[in-house]
Structure formats: structure tokens, C-alpha cells
């Protein structure tokens, strides 16, 4: 039976090759008191990247068989997925990195599993240690892995602080591809 935008059989679910998403990370929503980007990166709370569920920033963005929320990707079909993320670590500062309170920055790809809460947590982690005497310290980091995801799981990108990454359409993104059911 054919339904929707892609082929789907009632008994077996969607064609695995058609379930995927690739979204650019957008500037996180500012928390109260942090409307202006700090000259020194802020590590007072974790920061969740936005995905922009209402529009595509570029032609490379897509989602098929995945729901794009404002800050997460929601899984419709259980199965094994290759989950990946890339981030451009670059401080919003003209100061030397050695002056920053924290020298190690983190980016996490987290899973929220409503059906089995103990399966929630960090799936992937990227760590960046700043260059001690650099003012324009910038590094791009990629991470990825294969995970079995359940229907209703949400995947999001979380940073250890605000002002530690640049959000552009080329270097900061999250994606996933279903590889088997």
C-alpha cells in the first residue's frame, strides 16, 4: 500500500532508505538575563540548540519519516539509526582563551526516551579544549554512532555553555539515517 509522500506497507513500515533527517543547528534561545552574547562564554547552564522546525535554511536540510521539533528530532519508526552531529567550536570573544573560566567545552547529542526513561541520556559527546593563547580559536568536531531508537524518542544537541559555538549552515548540524528495522 502506498500512503503519504513515501512508500509504506502496513505490515512492515516505511522503506528504511527513506527515513532520514539533516538539520542545521540554530542559535539557542537565550535564557533570562543572557539576551546579549557575553564577551566571555557563559557556563551557568546547559544550552539546547534549536533546529528551526518551520523552515529549511538551505537545500541540504530535509526530514523524511522524522518529525522536526523546535529543538529536537522525534522518531516515528523504531529501528537502528546512524546518528551524527558536527559543531564549529568558536568563542564569541576577542579575548585570549587562557582568560576563560572553563578551558574545556562539550557538545552532547542526547536522547529523551519517554517510554523507558532510564534509556534517556547522552548518546554522543564531543569535547574541545581551547588553545591556551589564541584569540580566534576555532575547531570543527564531528561525532556519530549507531543506536536503536524507539518510537517517540527525541534527539537533541546540548552545549555545556552559551557563546562557545558558531551556528552556520555548513559546519553545525545534526542528522540521522535509519539503517535497519
Amino acid at each position: 500500500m502506498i500512503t503519504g509522500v513515501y512508500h509504506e506497507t502496513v505490515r512492515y513500515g516505511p522503506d528504511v532508505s527513506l527515513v532520514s533527517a539533516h538539520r542545521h543547528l540554530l542559535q539557542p534561545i537565550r535564557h533570562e538575563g543572557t539576551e546579549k552574547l557575553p564577551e566571555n562564554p557563559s557556563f551557568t547552564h546547559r544550552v539546547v540548540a534549536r533546529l528551526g522546525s518551520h523552515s529549511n535554511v538551505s537545500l541540504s536540510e530535509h526530514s523524511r519519516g522524522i518529525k522536526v521539533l523546535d529543538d529536537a528530532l522525534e522518531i516515528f519508526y523504531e529501528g537502528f539509526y546512524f546518528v551524527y552531529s558536527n559543531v564549529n567550536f568558536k568563542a564569541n570573544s576577542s579575548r585570549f582563551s587562557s582568560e576563560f573560566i572553563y578551558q574545556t567545552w562539550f557538545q552532547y547529542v542526547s536522547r529523551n526516551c519517554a517510554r523507558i526513561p532510564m534509556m534517556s541520556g547522552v548518546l554522543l559527546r564531543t569535547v574541545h579544549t581551547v588553545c591556551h593563547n589564541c584569540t580566534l580559536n576555532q575547531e570543527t568536531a564531528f561525532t556519530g554512532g549507531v543506536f536503536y531508537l524507539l518510537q517517540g524518542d527525541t534527539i537533541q544537541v546540548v552545549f555545556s555553555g552559551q557563546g562557545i559555538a558558531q551556528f552556520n549552515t555548513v559546519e553545525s548540524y545534526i542528522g540521522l539515517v535509519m539503517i535497519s528495522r
Side-chain angles (χ1 to χ4, degrees):
M1 170 192 318
I2 298 177
T3 61
V5 202
Y6 52 84
H7 301 293
E8 180 178 337
T9 62
V10 173
R11 185 174 176 186
Y12 300 108
D15 179 351
V16 170
S17 66
L18 296 178
V19 179
S20 65
H22 180 91
R23 302 298 292 197
H24 300 288
L25 302 178
L26 302 175
Q27 187 71 43
I29 295 172
R30 300 273 173 241
H31 296 281
E32 189 175 330
T34 63
E35 291 79 19
K36 184 180 170 201
L37 281 173
E39 180 62 17
N40 192 3
S42 168
F43 294 91
T44 57
H45 52 273
R46 68 185 203 131
V47 179
V48 178
R50 292 181 305 119
L51 301 180
S53 62
H54 303 295
S55 65
N56 289 340
V57 176
S58 75
L59 294 175
S60 65
E61 287 192 304
H62 72 274
S63 60
R64 292 182 293 268
I66 301 289
K67 184 176 183 181
V68 179
L69 306 173
D70 286 335
D71 63 353
L73 298 174
E74 183 177 348
I75 305 302
F76 284 152
Y77 303 103
E78 290 186 21
F80 286 97
Y81 287 81
F82 175 65
V83 179
Y84 60 90
S85 181
N86 196 70
V87 65
N88 180 10
F89 284 109
K90 182 179 181 199
N92 178 45
S93 178
S94 58
R95 297 169 56 196
F96 284 109
S97 301
S98 61
E99 298 176 27
F100 297 158
I101 296 169
Y102 295 96
Q103 301 289 306
T104 305
W105 304 342
F106 298 90
Q107 175 243 2
Y108 308 95
V109 176
S110 295
R111 170 191 194 180
N112 181 17
C113 183
R115 285 176 38 195
I116 308 171
M118 68 169 145
M119 292 181 69
S120 296
V122 174
L123 296 177
L124 300 164
R125 179 178 304 146
T126 303
V127 180
H128 171 66
T129 303
V130 298
C131 172
H132 190 65
N133 288 318
C134 298
T135 54
L136 300 174
N137 185 33
Q138 179 173 333
E139 296 293 332
T140 302
F142 180 87
T143 186
V146 175
F147 305 94
Y148 191 84
L149 302 176
L150 303 175
Q151 180 181 11
D153 283 1
T154 56
I155 307 298
Q156 64 184 179
V157 177
V158 180
F159 292 92
S160 61
Q162 197 159 302
I164 65 172
Q166 295 294 308
F167 298 92
N168 59 52
T169 60
V170 178
E171 297 172 330
S172 296
Y173 54 83
I174 185 173
L176 51 80
V177 178
M178 179 185 252
I179 56 176
S180 73
R181 292 190 52 96

